[in-house]
Amino acid sequence: MQTLSLSFHNHTLVITINRPDKLNALNKKVIEELSSVMDDVYNNTEIKSVIITGSGPRAFVAGADISEFAALDANGGKAMAEKGQMQVFNKIEHCVKPVIAAVNGFALGGGCELAMACHFRIAGNNAQFGQPEVNLGLIPGYGGTQRLTLLIGKGRAMELLMTGSMIDAPTALQYGLVNYVVPPEELMNKALSVAELINTKAPLAIAGCIKAANAVFDESKNGYETEINIFGELFDTADAKEGAAAFLEKRQPVFKGF
Ligand code: COA
């Protein structure tokens, strides 16, 4: 990996976007490598959860790499947005293992979009969020108009999209964009402790939570029906039998992932 560093903490994979001199801007290589790592996350049974963060003290990700914009025309721009959405942002959102953003500074443009594609976000109190694309004569292309509106509501999203203004971490907390704000030095420990708690649960139940909650935002699906189906299917798993048995025997369950 040229642009990402990867580290394992028990069963949690920490993906660090590693271009600190460019505030971790998402160039083609980062998108390509994130896509490939997400494929590994899907396939590697040792990985139970993922944390995405940025390298250095200043930025999570300060957006798509603007230096690559000069070469783009309408077709190129569309292809870039489509490829990014399909190969990275949608893969993260629909990953059946939890993906948590640990936002350690600027999360702007594609950075805010990357954080929003994750299942939830934890921020350092130095984090700043925004969709400044209008300053470049553009709009977000990696799902920002959709996910920001879903996460913080239309009025607040419209204002952020149209002004290009940033919001600080306490405001992001108040808007429901992040779940916690912690001192920067505690950010990774907080993210790891939440991930490790989730790692103790039954993996197929976690996958079910993600699929059912995502169905709320999928017009092709009836979310209640999705929930009924997944709820039913889980009764056929060994882990659901183990969960109930452990409760009745007053012991901790040992989940196996099937
Ligand atoms: N694309 C490419 N390079 C970027 C970048 C981006 N999105 N964001 C920051 N950088 C680079 C800068 O060009 C600079 O590189 P250099 O040292 O080689 O000149 C380096 O990262 C540091 O950024 P700088 O602008 O000098 O830091 P700052 O503290 O003055 O400002 C920001 C920080 C985040 C406010 C500012 O970098 C910024 O506005 N970035 C662009 C945000 C944006 O519009 N994102 C959406 C893109 S669609």
Side-chain angles (χ1 to χ4, degrees), residues 38-116:
M38 287 313 298
D39 291 339
D40 290 346
V41 169
Y42 274 72
N43 296 326
N44 184 338
T45 52
E46 287 300 303
I47 300 172
K48 290 190 174 175
S49 55
V50 177
I51 295 170
I52 300 181
T53 194
S55 169
R58 297 204 56 219
F60 173 71
V61 167
D65 192 320
I66 300 168
S67 70
E68 292 181 346
F69 285 9
L72 296 176
D73 58 7
N75 284 334
K78 197 173 165 197
M80 174 190 162
E82 214 162 51
K83 191 173 168 202
Q85 288 199 22
M86 294 301 150
Q87 296 191 352
V88 176
F89 295 76
N90 293 359
K91 253 188 221 174
I92 291 172
E93 182 166 55
H94 294 288
C95 181
V96 291
K97 301 171 186 182
V99 185
I100 304 168
V103 182
N104 56 314
F106 291 115
L108 302 176
C112 189
E113 292 170 298
L114 181 64
M116 292 191 296

Side-chain angles (χ1 to χ4, degrees), residues 112-193:
C112 189
E113 292 170 298
L114 181 64
M116 292 191 296
C118 294
H119 297 133
F120 57 91
R121 291 140 291 283
I122 301 175
N125 56 23
N126 60 339
Q128 300 211 57
F129 296 83
Q131 296 290 163
E133 287 85 351
V134 284
N135 298 329
L136 304 168
L138 295 170
I139 68 165
Y142 288 148
T145 59
Q146 307 303 294
R147 292 193 181 98
L148 190 64
T149 306
L150 293 169
L151 281 165
I152 68 172
K154 188 172 170 185
R156 284 167 169 166
M158 284 285 196
E159 183 184 347
L160 283 185
L161 292 167
M162 291 193 276
T163 61
S165 300
M166 294 185 214
I167 54 170
D168 60 14
T171 308
L173 184 65
Q174 189 205 331
Y175 281 12
L177 188 55
V178 303
N179 292 13
Y180 304 93
V181 174
V182 297
E185 62 277 12
E186 289 171 23
L187 178 60
M188 194 43 67
N189 277 345
K190 179 69 190 174
L192 281 169
S193 76

